[in-house]
Amino acid sequence: MITNHLTITLSYLLITFLPVTPFGTPFNILMLLLAIWHGVMVYKKNTGVKNSLLNIIAILGIAITVISINITNTVELFVALMLLACQLKVLQATTNRQWQQIHVLNFFTIPSVFLFSQSLYVALMVMMLLGINLVAMLQLQHRASLAYSGKFTLSTVLLSMALSILLLIFMPKLPAFWQMPGPTLAKTGLTEDVDPFNIVKLAKSDELAFRAIFSDGSQPQINTPLYWRAIIHDKFDGNQWRMSNLQNVSSNLTANSNQPPYKIIAQASNLPWLYALEHAISPTKAVNNNYFGTLFRTDKITSTFEYQVQPANARQQVHMPNWQYRFYTTLPEQLNPKTQALAKQWDLSSTTTKQFIDLMQLYFVTQAFSYTLTPDVTNSEHKVDQFLFEYKNGFCGHYASSVAILLRSAGIPARLVSGYLGAEYNNQLGYFSVYQYDAHAWVEYYVPNEGWKVLDPTAWVSPDRLLGSLSEHQTLAGEFQQNLGLSLVAWSDFKAVNWLRLQLEQLDYQWTRWVLNFDQQKQASLLQALFGAKGKQWVGALVILIISVVLTLLFFYVKRAQQVKEALAIKRYRQLIGLSKKNLSAAPPKRAVDELIQQFTDHREMLQQFYADFAANRYQGKSFGKNQNKHAKNLINSIKTKAKR
Amino acid sequence: MSHPIKKITHQLSHIIFGKEQQIKLAVCCLLCRGHLLIEDLPGMGKTTLSHGLADVLGLSYQRVQFTSDLLPADVIGSAIFNSTEHKFTFHAGPVFSQVLLGDEINRASPKTQSALLEAMEERQVTVDGVSHPLPEPFFVIATQNPIHQSGTHPLPESQLDRFFMRISLGYPSEDAERKLILGSKQNQRLEVSKVIDIEELFSLQTQAKNVTLAESVLDYILALVKYTRHSGLFTDPLSPRASIALGRAARTWALMDERDFATQDDVQAVFGSIAAHRLNIPCHLQEQAISDILNEVVIPL
């Protein structure tokens, strides 16, 4: 029994240390210490910590939790406090009643992980922990054996799984009554302000960013670079590239009817910015497009979100208005003098923008610039100067921002774009996966009469970065894998590991597509396919009716089944005392059985066994099953035959 | 001998010979945090048992010999004028101890008996409008002589109901009496040693609360109580306080038997000592009445 209590503590510990629950190190250490304390108590067979001591720990614990988690992250804070409270309750508990409270509370505490992630793995883990909780509950409250409670739990979980699939598919989807504020995420590939010069090491995350699904035959060519635009940075303040407020202003663009639409399932990013190739608009509700032709949502993306993308025509602009021209060529004047001088020099020796760019490319290629994820950090205020003339190494952010500054210095309108480059294509199911490590930055510059053009200076330094995803990049493989650490992508050189990774990825795709994003629209089309346009309206009501009828019947069936089982123990008991020479109907069971033992001394052990079964059934709520019934029948027959002789 | 309850009953069997059942009932009563009334003729070992109980649990105790001229203030204490400080200060009476041994409680006047009422139920004493809480735990172990003896005031029903259990020791068996004659030394109390401390006592009380009381056992308690109310045989049927007491005592009795579930046998074992003094039936008919009830009420299985 006492080891069950430890499994509860272990499940809290598991939740605390889960990568998706970012509670912070002090809180994790606190939970670990409390768990160790409970472990020692279990080992020493102590129970129940004094309330006064617990209160002090609780106050300290709250302080540590608030320090560990920023007070503005309310969701994380409340989940953490709930975990802490549960753990303290475990330490305090001595009576069955207190344990009962803990077990019931766990049905609320454990699924709170879903606030942070709803992935397949988290769902499986939550199901496992709930199963363990159910087993512990059965063992404690019904004193059931491990085998029995395990079996019971399994059947309950299977039944509820069947029910939830039924509910998922047929239950009418209602709009949410209220929404939780989303927990803030630690890792993301996109940032709203690009400041590459202060980054020592670009920690690449192998988390999924989004998936794109194209209708058959319209997939982009695998060997063309896919630039997924997300954020346009058009202001440079000397340190970093920032967004202007044009980023989240809706604008009208015309759809490009030559290109078919496609779907994107975005993972939670806690940013409102969405992804699309080139210029795009979207028919999906709550998705708007801005002046730049990138998509954004009115609120932050806190859970996986599916939307339609319709390619659009870029705004035709023959001449840039004067204010816009000034805006796109603005630079802090006193910063980076060498860079500005270099740009002026190139500007004098070139007549077209094309020539200017060629000169830039020549410089980058001949001056032996290199691509690295661990660049030197600048210490000067003239960051670009130091990068261009001294260090000459960096990642996409360095190249994009210095080229944009060079362009602006020469009076060519330029802006920085961040988004993702490349995608991994899944052959079997035909979709593209884009990961956080595919995050990229490039430049767009303006040519009069032609409009905005894409320029990726990183390609000059590292041409193969353009093709496919970073995971397929040959020359950077070593450095890339070092940065990823222990994840399956890092081992993708081994065929078996890569195969496994793709299978898991596919499973997760199906889960996201069919479970997490099974929305009103998908349900409606499924129901229509199954029952026709007329039938689908009635299905919802019918399903609710059927489910309530089934549950009511189940309730009465279970109740009746218990009664039948109970009656069996009493029936056998009555038969037994009927065999006695005395009238034992007024004696309580123990006394009656003791009396029987005196009369039938040969059957002492069998009678004692029967009483044990009877007491277990009548007083402890255990079942009087087949084995017990068989034993009782044997006992009765044995006594009868003995009496006949 | 590992179980603390076994140790208690074993210790007590050194001073009261051949009365295992009564000793167990007395211990059960104290584990239920109930007050105990021991009724018997003089010289049957009432006082020995009550001293032994206090000793074995290691509780502080004070003894009060109730007489007809004993006043309430003699038991609960009184406010006395302090001439140096010019104010009244409260002097705690013998009731302020963990165990109060009230010898021959029914020799006192009804007024003094009632003074114990508040102390027993509320576990506090009020003098001149100021409440003084009693120590924890607080038990009253009272002894009384059978009612028909001269110079006794019978305890009022309300006060009787406040005693969780009433037991009587009765005459010892011949063997036990032989041992008594050989063993007793003049004017010397038999010694028992403390076997458990207060922490253990509290932990046992908590354990008793965790004993399962099955539906059928609960039904049995209700059937017994209902019988005393509806059969028309009793002028003072059992109160809800009595049924609560039955449930608690049955649980504790099961714990004393090292079980974690109570049975109807446990209810029968404690029924007599919980019900007899509350039913207000003449002394000599009590035993018969209790066994009649137990035979009459059908045991729900």
Side-chain angles (χ1 to χ4, degrees):
Chain A
M1 202 64 72
I2 212 157
T3 46
N4 278 346
H5 299 166
L6 209 54
T7 57
I8 301 294
T9 297
L10 286 178
S11 52
Y12 295 151
L13 208 58
L14 183 62
I15 294 174
T16 312
F17 280 89
L18 220 57
V20 295
T21 52
F23 293 134
T25 319
F27 181 78
N28 289 358
I29 291 171
L30 173 74
M31 289 298 280
L32 186 66
L33 289 178
L34 290 178
I36 290 171
W37 187 16
H38 187 220
V40 171
M41 271 173 55
V42 168
Y43 178 72
K44 287 189 172 173
K45 297 198 169 135
N46 292 340
T47 49
V49 179
K50 269 190 189 158
N51 280 352
S52 49
L53 183 59
L54 270 185
N55 287 340
I56 295 168
I57 295 171
I59 291 168
L60 277 176
I62 291 169
I64 290 171
T65 313
V66 173
I67 292 167
S68 180
I69 302 163
N70 196 331
I71 200 146
T72 49
N73 299 342
T74 35
V75 176
E76 283 161 44
L77 195 65
F78 279 112
V79 173
L81 286 177
M82 194 156 73
L83 274 173
L84 179 68
C86 286
Q87 182 64 72
L88 291 176
K89 188 86 193 158
V90 164
L91 288 171
Q92 179 199 33
T94 48
T95 63
N96 284 358
R97 202 186 164 78
Q98 283 167 321
W99 278 109
Q100 199 176 344
Q101 287 168 350
I102 292 167
H103 288 309
V104 172
L105 202 60
N106 278 350
F107 285 107
F108 188 75
T109 313
I110 294 171
S112 64
V113 185
F114 283 138
L115 289 173
F116 301 98
S117 167
Q118 299 109 33
S119 77
L120 182 64
Y121 312 114
V122 169
L124 286 175
M125 193 208 68
V126 166
M127 206 152 80
M128 184 191 77
L129 292 183
L130 286 180
I132 288 172
N133 188 46
L134 206 60
V135 170
M137 200 170 173
L138 277 170
Q139 284 194 285
L140 182 79
Q141 281 172 37
H142 292 273
R143 290 147 217 274
S145 67
L146 185 63
Y148 173 79
S149 37
K151 243 199 269 174
F152 185 84
T153 302
L154 203 67
S155 62
T156 313
V157 167
L158 286 179
L159 182 72
S160 49
M161 224 147 83
L163 260 178
S164 44
I165 289 172
L166 208 69
L167 289 172
L168 177 77
I169 296 176
F170 294 110
M171 193 67 178
K173 292 256 171 195
L174 298 172
F177 295 122
W178 54 282
Q179 248 179 333
M180 293 285 286
T184 49
L185 296 174
K187 279 187 280 189
T188 169
L190 281 189
T191 48
E192 294 189 335
D193 302 316
V194 175
D195 178 17
F197 301 103
N198 277 334
I199 295 172
V200 185
K201 182 175 174 180
L202 195 61
K204 293 281 190 179
S205 144
D206 67 337
E207 269 173 45
L208 188 72
F210 61 92
R211 293 187 173 103
I213 307 146
F214 292 87
S215 50
D216 289 335
S218 68
Q219 277 99 340
Q221 290 297 308
I222 305 287
N223 50 5
T224 55
L226 296 176
Y227 284 101
W228 306 93
R229 298 163 90 227
I231 304 175
I232 310 293
H233 311 271
D234 44 12
K235 284 198 297 195
F236 182 66
D237 66 357
N239 283 316
Q240 45 193 350
W241 284 88
R242 296 179 184 279
M243 304 183 304
S244 67
N245 40 19
L246 282 173
Q247 179 72 27
N248 55 4
V249 174
S250 297
S251 171
N252 283 325
L253 285 182
T254 50
N256 181 350
S257 44
N258 295 333
Q259 287 184 34
Y262 51 95
K263 257 187 268 181
I264 285 183
I265 306 175
Q267 300 295 114
S269 65
N270 237 33
L271 294 172
W273 320 120
L274 295 169
Y275 328 99
L277 292 168
E278 299 174 6
H279 289 67
I281 57 176
S282 172
T284 308
K285 224 172 89 183
V287 176
N288 296 317
N289 65 283
N290 55 22
Y291 172 78
F292 309 116
T294 62
L295 301 176
F296 66 98
R297 217 169 71 159
T298 37
D299 51 345
K300 290 179 177 181
I301 302 153
T302 51
S303 59
T304 43
F305 173 64
E306 185 177 320
Y307 60 98
Q308 285 253 334
V309 183
Q310 172 64 51
N313 296 316
R315 192 176 288 272
Q316 288 303 316
Q317 213 173 22
V318 182
H319 286 290
M320 190 175 257
N322 244 340
W323 66 268
Q324 268 195 19
Y325 178 82
R326 268 208 308 280
F327 182 72
Y328 284 117
T329 52
T330 306
L331 280 178
E333 270 173 29
Q334 59 277 51
L335 289 179
N336 303 311
K338 281 159 108 182
T339 307
Q340 298 202 19
L342 185 67
K344 297 263 159 58
Q345 188 197 323
W346 287 341
D347 193 23
L348 288 175
S349 55
S350 63
T351 47
T352 60
T353 310
K354 176 89 179 61
Q355 282 175 357
F356 183 85
I357 291 169
D358 287 343
L359 283 172
M360 275 201 299
Q361 180 170 8
L362 192 70
Y363 177 79
F364 278 102
V365 174
T366 52
Q367 292 286 322
F369 277 82
S370 65
Y371 185 92
T372 177
L373 298 173
T374 50
D376 294 315
V377 179
T378 50
N379 44 19
S380 146
E381 71 175 316
H382 307 300
K383 294 172 183 185
V384 184
D385 279 3
Q386 207 168 18
F387 167 72
L388 281 178
F389 300 102
E390 213 177 304
Y391 296 140
K392 299 182 180 175
N393 63 40
F395 48 83
C396 56
H398 295 85
Y399 293 101
S401 64
S402 42
V403 163
I405 289 161
L406 280 168
L407 285 167
R408 283 194 173 191
S409 305
I412 302 166
R415 62 196 185 194
L416 202 71
V417 186
S418 55
Y420 296 87
L421 170 62
E424 190 178 75
Y425 186 65
N426 184 307
N427 275 321
Q428 275 162 292
L429 295 167
Y431 63 85
F432 290 90
S433 303
V434 178
Y435 297 92
Q436 294 297 359
Y437 55 64
D438 291 326
H440 191 57
W442 60 95
V443 177
E444 287 180 349
Y445 64 97
Y446 180 80
V447 183
N449 297 324
E450 290 179 42
W452 289 95
K453 302 214 161 212
V454 173
L455 173 66
D456 190 351
T458 315
W460 300 335
V461 181
S462 165
D464 31 357
R465 173 71 183 86
L466 290 196
L467 298 174
S469 171
L470 191 58
S471 58
E472 291 153 13
H473 195 299
Q474 286 305 314
T475 46
L476 279 173
E479 200 179 8
F480 171 67
Q481 285 170 7
Q482 258 182 4
N483 276 334
L484 272 173
L486 274 175
S487 85
L488 281 179
V489 193
W491 302 92
S492 49
D493 278 355
F494 299 98
K495 273 210 171 119
V497 177
N498 205 31
W499 177 86
L500 180 71
R501 181 176 76 87
L502 289 176
Q503 293 303 311
L504 289 175
E505 150 66 35
Q506 214 161 316
L507 200 66
D508 192 50
Y509 166 73
Q510 300 287 21
W511 171 259
T512 314
R513 188 102 204 266
W514 292 109
V515 181
L516 296 184
N517 280 330
F518 189 78
D519 55 9
Q520 237 167 336
Q521 207 184 340
K522 278 187 186 160
Q523 187 184 36
S525 56
L526 180 72
L527 291 182
Q528 188 154 6
L530 286 175
F531 304 102
K534 268 189 186 173
K536 85 174 188 197
Q537 291 169 3
W538 295 100
V539 168
L542 197 67
V543 164
I544 294 174
L545 192 75
I546 290 173
I547 288 171
S548 38
V549 168
V550 166
L551 283 180
T552 320
L553 288 179
L554 204 67
F555 173 74
F556 284 112
Y557 172 75
V558 169
K559 221 178 154 190
R560 193 156 163 264
Q562 276 174 352
Q563 279 169 351
V564 169
K565 269 185 189 170
E566 281 169 7
L568 203 58
I570 296 172
K571 194 174 153 194
R572 300 283 171 251
Y573 169 77
R574 292 239 159 85
Q575 285 176 343
L576 258 181
I577 58 171
L579 298 173
S580 166
K581 288 156 212 153
K582 293 181 187 169
N583 178 14
L584 293 176
S585 58
K590 178 80 174 97
R591 187 136 55 81
V593 173
D594 285 345
E595 187 66 39
L596 283 172
I597 288 173
Q598 286 199 348
Q599 283 180 38
F600 312 111
T601 37
D602 294 351
H603 296 88
R604 165 182 287 272
E605 272 161 33
M606 285 184 88
L607 280 164
Q608 278 169 346
Q609 179 58 46
F610 171 76
Y611 180 71
D613 293 342
F614 178 84
N617 175 239
R618 301 307 305 146
Y619 307 127
Q620 294 170 287
K622 283 188 189 170
S623 68
F624 192 82
K626 270 183 202 158
N627 288 341
Q628 286 84 352
N629 189 29
K630 206 167 122 194
H631 176 268
K633 271 184 173 169
N634 284 345
L635 172 64
I636 293 162
N637 288 336
S638 163
I639 291 176
K640 272 184 187 166
T641 46
K642 186 109 195 225
K644 273 180 196 164
R645 263 186 238 152
Chain B
M1 222 43 69
S2 59
H3 203 268
I5 299 175
K6 281 270 163 62
K7 280 195 258 174
I8 300 172
T9 46
H10 180 75
Q11 276 288 324
L12 288 170
S13 65
H14 290 321
I15 51 164
I16 307 283
F17 301 126
K19 294 285 174 196
E20 269 74 30
Q21 191 73 1
Q22 281 85 342
I23 290 172
K24 266 184 88 177
L25 281 168
V27 172
C28 173
C29 175
L30 296 195
L31 288 181
C32 292
R33 303 185 67 195
H35 306 297
L36 180 64
L37 183 63
I38 309 175
E39 181 181 285
D40 240 321
L41 292 165
M44 304 286 265
K46 299 188 294 286
T47 313
T48 314
L49 176 60
S50 51
H51 280 290
L53 279 170
D55 280 336
V56 91
L57 299 178
L59 302 174
S60 73
Y61 65 89
Q62 296 217 41
R63 188 187 160 184
V64 180
Q65 178 70 48
F66 283 74
T67 55
S68 53
D69 55 356
L70 195 79
L71 294 171
D74 297 330
V75 181
I76 61 176
S78 55
I80 291 170
F81 188 72
N82 186 331
S83 55
T84 53
E85 289 178 33
H86 292 282
K87 63 179 181 187
F88 284 95
T89 45
F90 179 68
H91 282 247
V95 79
F96 288 87
S97 59
Q98 287 169 322
V99 178
L100 176 71
L101 303 178
D103 256 344
E104 304 192 310
I105 191 171
N106 58 343
R107 290 215 182 276
S109 64
K111 194 179 175 188
T112 312
Q113 288 172 1
S114 310
L116 263 180
L117 265 177
E118 188 198 5
M120 285 170 70
E121 192 59 23
E122 312 291 332
R123 291 169 196 274
Q124 65 172 19
V125 160
T126 308
V127 175
D128 293 340
V130 183
S131 295
H132 305 274
L134 292 174
E136 188 67 29
F138 172 69
F139 299 117
V140 172
I141 303 175
T143 69
Q144 77 169 348
N145 298 323
I147 309 295
H148 55 76
Q149 284 217 329
S150 57
T152 59
H153 303 274
L155 285 169
E157 284 83 15
S158 61
Q159 181 122 22
L160 276 174
D161 198 31
R162 277 166 170 73
F163 282 103
F164 189 83
M165 271 192 194
R166 192 209 58 189
I167 58 171
S168 37
L169 291 168
Y171 294 112
S173 65
E174 204 180 307
D175 277 353
E177 201 153 6
R178 190 187 299 274
K179 262 166 100 182
L180 272 174
I181 298 165
L182 290 173
S184 79
K185 290 172 193 157
Q186 206 71 41
N187 293 333
Q188 193 185 338
R189 267 188 49 219
L190 290 153
E191 288 296 319
V192 290
S193 52
K194 168 187 170 183
V195 288
I196 65 167
D197 54 24
I198 290 186
E199 289 295 321
E200 278 178 286
L201 181 68
F202 286 147
S203 126
L204 284 172
Q205 286 171 348
T206 323
Q207 280 177 43
K209 277 180 200 155
N210 277 338
V211 170
T212 317
L213 198 63
E215 203 64 25
S216 57
V217 182
L218 206 56
D219 287 343
Y220 186 44
I221 293 174
L222 292 172
L224 286 170
V225 177
K226 220 154 107 186
Y227 180 78
T228 65
R229 292 173 193 167
H230 299 313
S231 64
L233 298 171
F234 306 97
T235 51
D236 293 302
L238 291 177
S239 61
R241 188 186 279 153
S243 24
I244 293 168
L246 273 173
R248 269 161 72 181
R251 278 186 160 128
T252 309
W253 195 259
L255 180 73
M256 293 172 76
D257 208 20
E258 289 171 47
R259 269 179 289 124
D260 59 359
F261 58 91
T263 70
Q264 291 94 339
D265 301 80
D266 299 323
V267 178
Q268 287 209 348
V270 295
F271 182 71
S273 50
I274 286 179
H277 65 289
R278 299 177 204 252
L279 286 170
N280 196 15
I281 29 185
C283 228
H284 59 283
L285 292 178
Q286 280 175 3
E287 206 174 315
Q288 187 58 42
I290 294 299
S291 79
D292 280 353
I293 296 172
L294 291 180
N295 280 327
E296 208 59 40
V297 175
V298 178
I299 299 173
L301 289 172

